[in-house]
Amino acid sequence: MRTPLFRGRRRALATVATAGALALALTACGSSGPSDTSADGGDRGSSTGDIWVITDASLNPVQEKSAETFATSGDVTFTVSNYANDPYKQKLQTAIGSPNQPDIFYNWGGGNLKQYVDAGQVADLTSAVDGDADFKSKLIPSVLDVGTIDGKIYGLPMQGVQPVMMYGNDDVLKKAGVDGMPATWDDLLADVKALKASGVTPIALAGSQSWTELMWLEYLLDRVGGSDKFAAIAAGDDGAWSDPAVIESLTMIQQLVDAGAFGTNYSAVGYDDQGTQALIAGGKAGLELMGSWEVSALNASFPDFAKSDSLVWGTFPTVDGGKGDPSAVVGNPSNFYSVTDGSKVKDGATQYLLDTLTSDEYVDGLLSIGQVPAITGLEEKVKTGDFAHFNAFTYQIVNDSSSFTQSWDQALDAATAQTMLTNLQKVFLGQMEPQEFADAMAK
Amino acid sequence: MARTTVGTGRPGALWAVPALGFFGLFALLPMAIVVYLSFTQWSGIGSPVFTGTDNWTKLAHDTQLMPSLRLTIGLTIVSWLLQTAICLPLGVWLAHHGRGRAVLAAVFFVPLLMSSAAIAILWGGLLDPNFGLASVVGPLIGVPDGNFIGDPDLVFWVVVAVVAWQFVPFHVLLYQGATRQVPGSLYEAARIDGAGRFRQFTAITVPQLKHTIITSSVLMLVGSMTYFEIILILTGGGPGTATRVLPLHMYIEGFQSFDMGYASVLAVLLLVLGTALSLFVTRATGFHRMDSQKEGL
């Protein structure tokens, strides 16, 4: 029965079959579908539009409510679709500019938004915003800057401000003889020593997710060299990565690692699985550097600790002799809404943003879920809810900040950010020296 | 069509049309597109821009390429050796009947029912150095801080172990089924000739399983070479680049750096390597001749 034809065919088939499995593996990186929640009820607008956002169980209802409200007054009925974080970035990347693109999309501002702007896919909102003086005056300038590319406004802040700050477990600090949060770099080094001696991990760090390590470099460079240093890096200036301030900041990181500040197994600790939260809340670590979302995240996983007096917080320590302004903050100034240039309802979408983002309903909605909007004049209003004290602190440091540097992995283009995060992880592992890091990034 | 069936004693080419159509659409077409994309610059936004061989010259300057390739080859060889060493004896043992074995067989197959993502998340929890099983087991086996997936030297072996945990059940199933196909008369004859159990295993079971061993090996080798989902979720290629195997390097370049052009170069490289490997294995073992193991029976 074994004819030559049969044999040849079988072999060819086996070859293409394995090759096919390969190709399938390559194309299997699809995205999950959206979960649609349409804004129904009320008088429907005459046309429809899509808003794409990130899945957030507490924020999504606020966004949907605002779309419903707009549908009763405006011309457009918007449908809010939410996607998980990582699939969203991929889906948006391929949808923008295609017939399936949304009308309004959630983004991170900075370099993330710039790539869409450079591709000519984002509507310029400058004249609309300038035409509404009342709206514009309500936005915090340092936050609006992040949605501004080459002097034109493309993104409007739609979420709470998220500065990075230091958190501590006061019980653990007290037990180690540490009084309050460290105010200076030298205080921090002394605290690390004392905490280590008391048998805990001085600083909880989720080293398997290197964006948590990046926060240290972001703040240190700002304190050591000032916010201009990163501005130069973001602008792509020659030699910006090799600046002495970058080297010094990385050397200070090495100093912390060598002092045992993060323990020995930090590179196996994750943030997404609450690895560091469990360390802080469980009294196994003294300090942590994290975004302002940490308090609501702690409240979700460890409510007893989050609501107790043991949870303390403070600004990042100052560095003696550093050129940076101690009031400067880093983190996520906000997330942003942008309108796609090819949208069929561009005017309606722009109107929705102007009507919604500073409205009482939307602002109160954000406050009710523990977010502090990037809106001026909220000093009294932010003092609500379980974390009134913390919200007021967050609002104050952002309002008082001389600059608000966006998280570097959002501000830089994706390829540079990816290389930087990998190399920084190597610095934390002791596999790469500061100068090697600078050389690798300068390429 | 009926005529060809009658004429040759086997189905006509028309029967293969649905499968070939699927294969063309979901395998050949994407492959052709990947080759095309490897000559373009594309971030996913807008249209790909043709850049000639730029991406291919970049290959020579990619400092991560050789480490990733070495890791991939290492993972492929170690996985193949380890999994075969476990699956062959285990499958043969499970092929024999007995209540205890049936229960164990059911337990062994549990990982087969789980998705890769679930397995990676499960192991991620177990390997948490402060609160997972790693913090308990680590001190007992010389890793006092439970730092398995955060140690650049240890993490490779952890990945090998987790991948084996996922795929051993499938290959055991292959061997179990194949062993049951071996005619009992062969063993009877061997017993009469005075062969012991070990001799029966080496002289009858293993030669009779030749095609299964080759099938299983091709699946393991090509599978390990293109494997990345557990690594992506468990370590993300880290710490540093300690587990950034070639397919993961491709994924990171494509979907994190959004450099689809260069990622396509890596994809083509993987495609060629995988095809060459499976061709080599089927050639070297004489699998393509499709000889029967039961001739003369």
Side-chain angles (χ1 to χ4, degrees):
Chain A
M1 283 302 288
R2 296 200 308 269
T3 66
L5 175 66
F6 183 82
R7 234 166 53 191
R9 242 201 208 172
R10 190 55 93 81
R11 203 168 72 216
L13 224 67
T15 312
V16 275
T18 38
L22 273 169
L24 277 181
L26 304 181
T27 50
C29 319
S31 51
S32 55
S35 39
D36 281 10
T37 340
S38 46
D40 43 26
D43 300 328
R44 292 198 151 260
S46 53
S47 51
T48 59
D50 289 305
I51 303 177
W52 284 9
V53 298
I54 293 283
T55 305
D56 180 327
S58 53
L59 180 59
N60 293 153
V62 178
Q63 294 162 326
E64 283 152 17
K65 182 88 197 328
S66 73
E68 276 174 43
T69 305
F70 186 73
T72 58
S73 60
D75 299 331
V76 188
T77 302
F78 285 103
T79 305
V80 180
S81 305
N82 65 75
Y83 303 86
N85 188 63
D86 290 353
Y88 176 78
K89 289 179 186 166
Q90 293 165 15
K91 186 166 176 70
L92 189 65
Q93 191 87 9
T94 44
I96 288 280
S98 82
N100 298 322
Q101 70 179 355
D103 300 288
I104 296 175
F105 65 98
Y106 175 105
N107 61 76
W108 286 260
N112 170 268
L113 178 58
K114 187 173 187 297
Q115 55 171 340
Y116 302 120
V117 172
D118 289 347
Q121 301 292 348
V122 188
D124 180 0
L125 304 176
T126 315
S127 58
V129 172
D130 285 344
D132 193 338
D134 185 42
F135 175 83
K136 195 177 184 184
S137 69
K138 283 185 180 168
L139 302 177
I140 296 180
S142 67
V143 176
L144 183 61
D145 278 351
V146 180
T148 306
I149 313 275
D150 299 333
K152 291 175 186 158
I153 299 170
Y154 289 99
L156 295 171
M158 46 65 70
Q159 200 169 328
V161 291
Q162 298 173 331
V164 172
M165 57 184 104
M166 294 281 281
Y167 302 86
N169 182 329
D170 206 31
D171 298 339
V172 175
L173 297 180
K174 281 211 179 82
K175 215 177 280 172
V178 173
D179 185 29
M181 300 297 284
T184 67
W185 180 253
D186 294 335
D187 287 350
L188 180 68
L189 291 179
D191 292 356
V192 163
K193 220 171 181 179
L195 285 161
K196 200 180 166 193
S198 78
V200 297
T201 303
I203 304 169
L205 176 71
S208 75
Q209 296 182 275
S210 52
W211 55 266
T212 65
E213 299 176 330
L214 181 61
M215 291 173 170
W216 286 92
L217 181 59
E218 287 165 354
Y219 256 126
L220 282 171
L221 182 62
D222 203 302
R223 292 286 187 266
V224 170
S227 55
D228 302 348
K229 299 294 179 188
F230 180 68
I233 290 172
D237 293 357
D238 279 346
W241 281 110
S242 311
D243 193 281
V246 176
I247 306 290
E248 189 183 341
S249 306
L250 289 163
T251 309
M252 289 166 86
I253 286 175
Q254 282 186 317
Q255 190 185 1
L256 268 190
V257 172
D258 293 343
F262 307 112
T264 58
N265 60 15
Y266 55 89
S267 54
V269 177
Y271 181 79
D272 289 347
D273 55 5
Q274 289 91 37
T276 48
Q277 290 164 17
L279 283 172
I280 281 276
K284 288 188 164 191
L287 299 164
E288 187 189 10
L289 184 65
M290 190 42 66
S292 63
W293 59 83
E294 184 71 343
V295 169
S296 51
L298 277 167
N299 191 39
S301 311
F302 304 95
D304 292 345
F305 171 71
K307 292 194 176 75
S308 74
D309 292 336
S310 307
L311 175 62
V312 290
W313 52 81
T315 52
F316 191 83
T318 59
V319 174
D320 279 348
K323 294 192 185 70
D325 185 330
S327 79
V329 290
V330 306
N332 299 338
S334 181
N335 286 99
F336 295 82
Y337 271 148
S338 296
V339 177
T340 49
D341 200 48
S343 165
K344 290 193 184 71
V345 290
K346 206 150 92 178
D347 293 340
T350 308
Q351 198 55 47
Y352 164 76
L353 297 183
L354 296 177
D355 284 5
T356 303
L357 297 179
T358 57
S359 72
D360 284 346
E361 181 191 273
Y362 193 73
V363 168
D364 290 348
L366 288 179
L367 286 168
S368 73
I369 58 167
Q371 296 206 10
V372 179
I375 307 289
T376 54
L378 295 181
E379 284 80 359
E380 290 310 310
K381 246 185 170 178
V382 294
K383 292 178 187 162
T384 57
D386 284 338
F387 302 104
H389 194 46
F390 176 75
N391 290 348
F393 178 78
T394 305
Y395 188 71
Q396 182 213 328
I397 65 170
V398 172
N399 238 350
D400 295 352
S401 63
S402 58
S403 70
F404 196 149
T405 298
Q406 188 186 22
S407 299
W408 296 3
D409 50 345
Q410 306 292 357
L412 298 171
D413 69 90
T416 310
Q418 188 271 115
T419 312
M420 171 187 69
L421 287 170
T422 306
N423 288 335
L424 184 62
Q425 206 173 21
K426 289 185 176 175
V427 172
F428 271 82
L429 282 167
Q431 292 178 334
M432 206 178 230
E433 291 296 315
Q435 189 59 50
E436 291 176 296
F437 176 91
D439 294 345
M441 293 312 299
K443 267 186 205 166
Chain B
M1 203 183 74
R3 284 178 61 136
T4 52
T5 310
V6 171
T8 62
R10 58 193 177 83
L14 204 60
W15 290 45
V17 165
L20 280 179
F22 249 80
F23 185 70
L25 194 61
F26 294 109
L28 294 178
L29 185 65
M31 278 191 266
I33 294 173
V34 157
V35 172
Y36 162 69
L37 283 179
S38 74
F39 293 100
T40 66
Q41 190 190 9
W42 191 40
S43 66
I45 312 173
S47 308
V49 181
F50 194 78
T51 54
T53 53
D54 280 9
N55 290 319
W56 288 91
T57 38
K58 192 180 165 189
L59 200 60
H61 305 290
D62 184 357
T63 50
Q64 185 53 41
L65 179 69
M66 288 321 283
S68 286
L69 195 59
R70 269 198 296 275
L71 263 178
T72 298
I73 293 171
L75 180 72
T76 304
I77 293 173
V78 174
S79 291
W80 175 58
L81 288 175
L82 177 75
Q83 292 180 27
T84 306
I86 297 173
C87 297
L88 180 57
L90 196 60
V92 170
W93 185 73
L94 284 174
H96 298 283
H97 295 280
R99 187 184 289 170
R101 293 178 197 203
V103 172
L104 278 175
V107 174
F108 290 153
F109 294 150
V110 167
L112 203 55
L113 306 173
M114 297 170 70
S115 72
S116 297
I119 290 172
I121 291 167
L122 175 83
W123 279 93
L126 289 174
L127 290 167
D128 185 293
N130 298 304
F131 304 98
L133 198 63
S135 63
V136 182
V137 176
L140 304 178
I141 57 172
V143 189
D145 55 359
N147 191 13
F148 288 95
I149 50 173
D151 183 322
D153 299 322
L154 265 182
V155 68
F156 174 78
W157 301 102
V158 174
V159 167
V160 166
V162 175
V163 172
W165 190 83
Q166 180 182 20
F167 287 107
V168 157
F170 174 70
H171 294 279
V172 167
L173 198 62
L174 283 184
Y175 283 119
Q176 186 194 24
T179 307
R180 287 187 175 162
Q181 301 289 320
V182 179
S185 55
L186 287 177
Y187 291 103
E188 278 170 34
R191 267 198 297 277
I192 293 167
D193 290 344
R197 294 183 76 168
F198 183 70
R199 190 66 206 273
Q200 287 177 32
F201 178 74
T202 54
I204 299 170
T205 313
V206 171
Q208 285 290 316
L209 291 180
K210 186 184 166 195
H211 286 321
T212 311
I213 293 172
I214 296 166
T215 306
S216 160
S217 296
V218 171
L219 288 173
M220 280 178 192
L221 289 170
V222 179
S224 306
M225 178 166 271
T226 57
Y227 198 68
F228 89 113
E229 55 262 48
I230 279 190
I231 307 177
L232 171 71
I233 299 172
L234 191 65
T235 70
T241 50
T243 53
R244 190 184 285 192
V245 291
L246 201 53
L248 188 60
H249 186 43
M250 172 194 79
Y251 175 84
I252 289 171
E253 288 293 329
F255 290 95
Q256 287 181 14
S257 294
F258 291 114
D259 186 350
M260 298 294 176
Y262 185 62
S264 298
V265 168
L266 296 174
V268 173
L269 191 67
L270 272 170
L271 187 69
V272 171
L273 285 178
T275 311
L277 184 67
S278 61
L279 271 180
F280 170 76
V281 174
T282 48
R283 280 251 156 205
T285 56
F287 185 69
H288 63 290
R289 287 195 299 274
M290 285 286 144
D291 298 323
S292 170
Q293 293 302 110
K294 297 195 178 74
E295 229 148 297
L297 276 177

